[in-house]
Amino acid sequence: MTFSADRHARIIVIGGGAIGTSVAYHLARAGEKDVLLLEKAQITEGCTWHAAGLVGQLRSKRNLTRLMQNSVAVFDRLAEETDAAIDWKKVGSLRLASSPDRWSEIRRSMGQARSFDVECHALSAEEAAKLFPYITTEGIEGAAFIPGDGYIDPYALTQAFAKAARKYGAKIEEHTSVVEIVRRGRRILGVVTDHGTIGCDILVNCAGLWAKRVGEMAGVALAAGVVEHQYFLTEKALDLPKDLTTLRDPDKNFYLKPDTGSFAIGGWEDGTRGCWRGKPPLDFGRELFEGNLDRLERFALPAAERLPVLNEIGIQTIINGPIPVSADGEPMMGLAPGLDNFFVACGFTAGIAASGGAGQAMSNWILEGNPGMDLWSLDVRRFGPVHAQARYLEQRAVEAYAAYYKIHWPAEESLAGRGLRRSALYEPLKARGAVFGSKFGWERPNWFRRDGDPLEDVPSFEGKPSWFDGVGEEVRAIRERVALIDQSSFSKFELRGPGTFAALQRIAANDLSGPKGKAIYTQLCNDRGGIEADVTLLHLDDDHFWLVTGSGFGVRDSDWIERQMPGAGVSMVEITGAYATINVCGPHARKVLQAVSDDDLSNEAFPFLAIRKIGLANAQALAVRVGYVGELGYELYIPQEFAAAVYEALWEAGETHGMSNAGYRAVESCRLEKGYLYWSGDISPDYNPYEAGLGFCVALEKGDFTGRKALAHIHEKGVSRKLVSLAIDGFAPLLGGEPVLLDGKVVGSTTSCGYGHWTGKTIAFAYLPTEIAGKTAFEIEAFGQNWHATRGARCLYDPKMERLKA
């Protein structure tokens, strides 16, 4: 279409809340001279103005914690830099544990804090009461105190960001509403406002409550929901110390911020109301909802149990306003899939606390091409259109809101919006005891319940979960006999057309050359050599490939590939829903498969990594000789309409061989024993293949490919850290993120951890400095206890791959 703009700005930021003004400030501070922020009303309107303003740094992931730490660093300098009061009170935060399970969760967080370099102190109930004398100590198991936390005035902070942005040359226009976004192909050309048209090179959606609407204007479906959130201010009847810390008691479901002579107290109660299906009207402004006393009582009454003084003073004001909540409760950041110049920074439930770090990361992302650290857990590409569907999104957002202060158990599953995507094997697996989890909307078997097992999952921080023994039996079936695993949720894409091979060869680190009919395991790296994706490519024919990746990585990986090959003439179509995938694995896998196939499945005819089209019972399948569990195995790609019949035929043929079903928790145990890595846990853009022990997948000799220059330099220079495998005899409660110690000093942190049911060891991966990576004796700290861990071979099971290639 033809777009004639009245004027032009290189970068347009939509939204004048804490996030939008911070992005504009950081862009301008970094030297970008042509930044225009558009706000439809006034700065801080939407939800910033009524935010509580608590600032907490510790999160469950290292880089999320770094993001919050960066925010605090920004707050520390902003007042002096702008000569504006921001009312930043760095008084610390006190988090209480009012139950044994919560104390386990908090102690886990404190262990992570040590590896994240966040100052954190464990306190007794009595020590906590000295810091916050208004609490009763009854039922307190312990507490954590983080001195670097505090609270800030959201209005003053946002105005300071705006002032600083202007100081460095950015322009801010209030009362200018974007009503249309003009797009051509993969690019945004500009915006239409109620004050004229503006062209741009880059558009940034920081629209807060209206982010979903703005996304739709650009043709992007965002999983950005909106729900009601309440807090109240007590009467001003208290004489509070100026340095009184903030307080959180998640078991009582409340947070507290000292105010002038009063407390501001809020919570995250069950049953909040979703708002407008995530799309508030554009004319909604500086408005609040009526207070809901029924919901308010769900955190106000427990708060009064912990704070007896609340029974003596009244409530002055109830604040009930809309706040953003994404489909999983975490923000969304980054370059939107399908577009080359449309960035997103929205869905911030804790937007004030994150604003400084988020603005800095987004500035890096826009100007440098990456945020400066791996932010996959916040990446907008972790969601797809399924998450943005209005009703599904609202259910997930309401659940995520209510879960904010609930105990976050290891391996916990969302309950909202379940049953949405089901493979053809869902009903047969359900009938055989499958306990399903959810990934990208798909129902996937986590494990299989046996007679006598509890009806519900019973997780644990420090002990063995209810599924422990059942998963162990599934692992034994994989190692000793044969098992079936439904892998239908794995993301699958078909790439074909002239130039497909050449395009993929320029993207993949491994060499794709050679005869067709084979599977190639490879990383897709960025220009710095960081691992952007970890995939399997199936070379089916000349210029015809399938790409297989994790269930939750399809949007991200396909987007990365599309960005790397513009104009290559390659057709890329998602085929995830078209094919069920059954993994037949274990030492008897060939016997079972041969019983239902007339094709030659011998090792000579069908070797490791080969691809064949074979007959299966009365159907056909694309069979691939690979395995993530480290055993003889075949991944069978079957059109969905034939999958159930094939499954039943395989089951019947396998009964004489002790056939079992297995779920993803057994797969996890097996892959840890095998030393196989998981993208987003063990590898990410922060790590390169040589550090991760994946140098065998880097074909420097094949010619140029994305990241080759950086990888060649790394190969020549060597690496400063290495991924190692650490093992503890027997069971240890490792969950990931624990500090690794050598001679009492923290030298690294675990990436992924779990119990190897076949080896009888707890296994942890960790990156360690090269100079000590060869040592064998380390300790891993978990829940206040140090566990002796031995560094050994990366692969603890079948290191020569004799079983895999049998």
Side-chain angles (χ1 to χ4, degrees):
M1 64 174 295
T2 301
F3 176 65
S4 179
D6 301 330
R7 51 195 173 115
H8 187 274
R10 190 174 116 71
I11 302 176
I12 294 178
V13 179
I14 301 176
I19 301 297
T21 53
S22 178
V23 170
Y25 155 64
H26 280 92
L27 286 168
R29 190 175 189 266
E32 181 56 54
K33 300 302 182 184
D34 192 8
V35 179
L36 173 63
L37 185 149
L38 302 177
E39 164 54 46
K40 71 179 185 64
Q42 292 179 301
I43 296 297
T44 80
E45 292 204 10
C47 54
T48 294
W49 69 275
H50 63 74
L54 274 75
V55 176
Q57 298 172 80
L58 186 60
R59 295 296 190 270
S60 61
K61 301 285 187 182
R62 172 183 292 275
N63 285 350
L64 301 192
T65 298
R66 286 176 59 195
L67 190 81
M68 296 300 181
Q69 288 176 295
N70 290 344
S71 273
V72 167
V74 171
F75 300 160
D76 286 345
R77 72 166 190 256
L78 190 60
E80 182 177 351
E81 186 176 346
T82 60
D83 192 27
I86 61 173
D87 201 22
W88 168 222
K89 307 292 187 184
K90 202 171 184 177
V91 294
S93 68
L94 183 65
R95 183 177 291 260
L96 306 179
S98 298
S99 67
D101 288 334
R102 181 72 66 178
W103 187 224
S104 290
E105 182 185 48
I106 289 178
R107 285 188 296 130
R108 180 197 179 195
S109 296
M110 288 191 292
Q112 291 175 321
R114 191 173 179 194
S115 68
F116 296 167
D117 196 28
V118 176
E119 184 182 358
C120 184
H121 304 281
L123 305 180
S124 67
E126 291 71 24
E127 289 170 327
K130 289 179 181 178
L131 276 178
F132 202 97
Y134 298 92
I135 64 172
T136 175
T137 59
E138 182 180 356
I140 295 178
E141 298 283 335
F145 179 64
I146 302 178
D149 291 348
Y151 61 96
I152 198 166
D153 182 337
Y155 179 86
L157 172 66
T158 306
Q159 293 293 346
F161 279 142
K163 181 178 180 180
R166 292 187 181 103
K167 170 185 172 182
Y168 290 113
K171 297 178 182 178
I172 297 177
E173 296 182 12
E174 298 177 289
H175 303 290
T176 302
S177 182
V178 173
V179 296
E180 184 182 348
I181 294 173
V182 182
R183 170 179 175 173
R184 179 184 296 158
R186 295 180 59 89
R187 294 196 62 81
I188 301 299
L189 302 181
V191 299
V192 179
T193 78
D194 53 1
H195 287 71
T197 57
I198 312 171
C200 65
D201 298 329
I202 294 169
L203 185 63
V204 190
N205 178 1
C206 300
L209 299 176
W210 295 272
K212 187 172 178 62
R213 281 191 178 277
V214 171
E216 288 181 351
M217 292 182 193
V220 176
L222 294 177
V226 181
V227 305
E228 288 186 11
H229 175 59
Q230 294 188 117
Y231 67 93
F232 64 88
L233 292 169
T234 67
E235 294 174 336
K236 295 183 180 295
L238 301 169
D239 184 16
L240 303 178
K242 291 184 179 180
D243 61 349
L244 185 65
T245 183
T246 61
L247 177 70
R248 295 170 177 86
D249 189 338
D251 286 307
K252 301 291 186 182
N253 199 23
F254 77 90
Y255 62 79
L256 179 151
K257 178 188 77 171
D259 203 44
T260 305
S262 66
F263 292 141
I265 298 175
W268 307 92
E269 75 282 2
D270 285 312
T272 192
R273 187 174 69 94
C275 305
W276 307 291
R277 299 279 197 239
K279 295 193 292 184
L282 291 176
D283 60 359
F284 182 85
R286 198 179 177 92
E287 302 173 49
L288 294 172
F289 306 123
E290 289 289 329
N292 186 307
L293 294 180
D294 288 339
R295 292 207 324 265
L296 192 78
E297 285 183 348
R298 295 173 192 172
F299 61 86
L301 294 181
E305 294 173 358
R306 179 61 62 211
L307 299 159
V309 68
L310 294 183
N311 296 306
E312 302 170 12
I313 57 177
I315 293 176
Q316 174 183 289
T317 308
I318 296 175
I319 309 294
N320 184 20
I323 62 169
V325 181
S326 75
D328 65 4
E330 296 288 0
M332 292 177 288
M333 299 171 62
L335 192 56
L339 284 166
D340 294 330
N341 62 339
F342 183 62
F343 287 85
V344 172
C346 62
F348 286 83
T349 304
I352 304 304
S355 59
Q360 179 179 318
M362 288 302 301
S363 175
N364 291 338
W365 223 328
I366 294 165
L367 300 180
E368 307 296 333
N370 74 88
M373 60 181 128
D374 172 41
L375 287 179
W376 164 244
S377 55
L378 304 187
D379 197 312
V380 64
R381 293 169 295 176
R382 74 187 187 275
F383 295 131
V386 62
H387 301 97
Q389 200 280 338
R391 289 177 180 266
Y392 180 86
L393 171 60
E394 185 167 289
Q395 292 173 33
R396 292 293 297 265
V398 167
E399 181 188 56
Y401 170 91
Y404 206 81
Y405 272 180
K406 291 180 179 176
I407 293 175
H408 293 287
W409 296 99
E412 68 180 355
E413 293 281 351
S414 173
L415 299 178
R418 292 295 297 272
L420 185 61
R421 304 176 79 181
R422 308 178 189 185
S423 81
L425 307 185
Y426 176 82
E427 291 298 339
L429 295 177
K430 182 179 179 182
R432 289 185 165 94
V435 181
F436 292 97
S438 177
K439 179 72 75 171
F440 220 75
W442 284 96
E443 293 296 309
R444 313 194 316 168
N446 280 336
W447 66 291
F448 287 80
R449 182 180 291 112
R450 306 160 303 162
D451 291 342
D453 284 332
L455 295 179
E456 301 294 334
D457 280 358
V458 182
S460 176
F461 283 107
E462 301 185 58
K464 297 175 181 177
S466 63
W467 56 81
F468 185 87
D469 291 337
V471 170
E473 287 193 9
E474 294 171 27
V475 170
R476 282 189 289 277
I478 292 171
R479 296 285 189 236
E480 295 178 339
R481 306 186 305 276
V482 61
L484 298 179
I485 305 170
D486 180 12
Q487 296 178 179
S488 301
S489 66
F490 276 31
S491 296
K492 301 174 280 288
F493 296 85
E494 184 174 41
L495 296 92
R496 66 191 314 167
T500 299
F501 170 80
L504 289 176
Q505 184 78 321
R506 288 194 303 269
I507 297 170
N510 211 339
D511 189 358
L512 309 185
S513 62
K516 60 190 176 184
K518 68 175 182 178
I520 305 104
Y521 171 57
T522 186
Q523 288 72 51
L524 312 182
C525 296
N526 56 38
D527 289 334
R528 304 179 311 281
I531 301 171
E532 291 287 344
D534 186 65
V535 304
T536 299
L537 290 169
L538 308 183
H539 190 179
L540 303 179
D541 206 340
D542 296 337
D543 287 324
H544 184 194
F545 287 78
W546 279 11
L547 177 143
V548 182
T549 187
S551 305
F553 304 146
V555 172
R556 187 189 198 282
D557 292 357
S558 61
D559 180 67
W560 173 260
I561 290 173
E562 287 177 343
R563 293 185 193 282
Q564 299 301 305
M565 52 184 191
V570 178
S571 168
M572 186 172 186
V573 178
E574 182 167 9
I575 56 174
T576 303
Y579 292 89
T581 306
I582 303 176
N583 184 356
V584 186
C585 55
H588 297 322
R590 182 180 289 114
K591 295 176 183 176
V592 172
L593 204 59
Q594 191 69 79
V596 296
S597 178
D598 296 329
D599 293 277
D600 185 357
L601 304 180
S602 66
N603 201 37
E604 294 73 25
F606 198 167
F608 181 60
L609 296 181
I611 302 171
R612 302 284 186 270
K613 286 186 178 180
I614 65 173
L616 279 180
N618 296 324
Q620 283 192 318
L622 182 70
V624 185
R625 179 88 186 274
V626 293
Y628 196 46
V629 296
E631 296 288 346
L632 169 67
Y634 305 82
E635 290 184 357
L636 308 174
Y637 296 87
I638 308 157
Q640 287 281 6
E641 64 266 33
F642 302 114
V646 169
Y647 171 84
E648 294 298 345
L650 289 169
W651 186 263
E652 183 178 351
E655 284 190 296
T656 58
H657 298 284
M659 174 81 80
S660 174
N661 288 297
Y664 282 87
R665 288 176 179 154
V667 171
E668 175 70 1
S669 178
C670 290
R671 73 95 183 171
L672 287 167
E673 294 179 328
K674 191 62 181 167
Y676 290 157
L677 305 183
Y678 182 68
W679 192 91
S680 79
D682 308 307
I683 49 178
S684 75
D686 284 349
Y687 304 107
N688 65 66
Y690 293 112
E691 295 171 324
L694 297 172
F696 65 92
C697 291
V698 180
L700 294 176
E701 70 284 353
K702 74 170 183 176
D704 195 27
F705 60 91
T706 305
R708 186 192 181 282
K709 183 177 180 180
L711 289 169
H713 178 72
I714 293 167
H715 182 258
E716 180 181 356
K717 182 181 177 182
V719 296
S720 60
R721 60 187 176 183
K722 291 183 178 179
L723 186 69
V724 302
S725 179
L726 301 170
I728 298 170
D729 289 335
F731 174 82
L734 303 188
L735 303 170
E738 293 88 359
V740 179
L741 294 82
L742 178 66
D743 298 328
K745 179 183 177 182
V746 176
V747 293
S749 62
T750 61
T751 54
S752 59
C753 310
Y755 185 70
H757 285 270
W758 185 258
T759 59
K761 298 178 184 293
T762 299
I763 302 166
F765 298 148
Y767 285 91
L768 299 179
T770 304
E771 60 270 20
I772 65 169
K775 294 183 178 295
T776 57
F778 295 86
E779 292 184 321
I780 300 176
E781 180 184 316
F783 300 102
Q785 179 179 346
N786 287 358
W787 299 79
H788 296 289
T790 302
R791 183 204 56 79
R794 168 77 157 272
C795 178
L796 299 179
Y797 178 77
D798 188 29
K800 295 182 180 180
M801 300 181 71
E802 293 171 339
R803 297 172 69 89
L804 195 64
K805 297 181 179 181

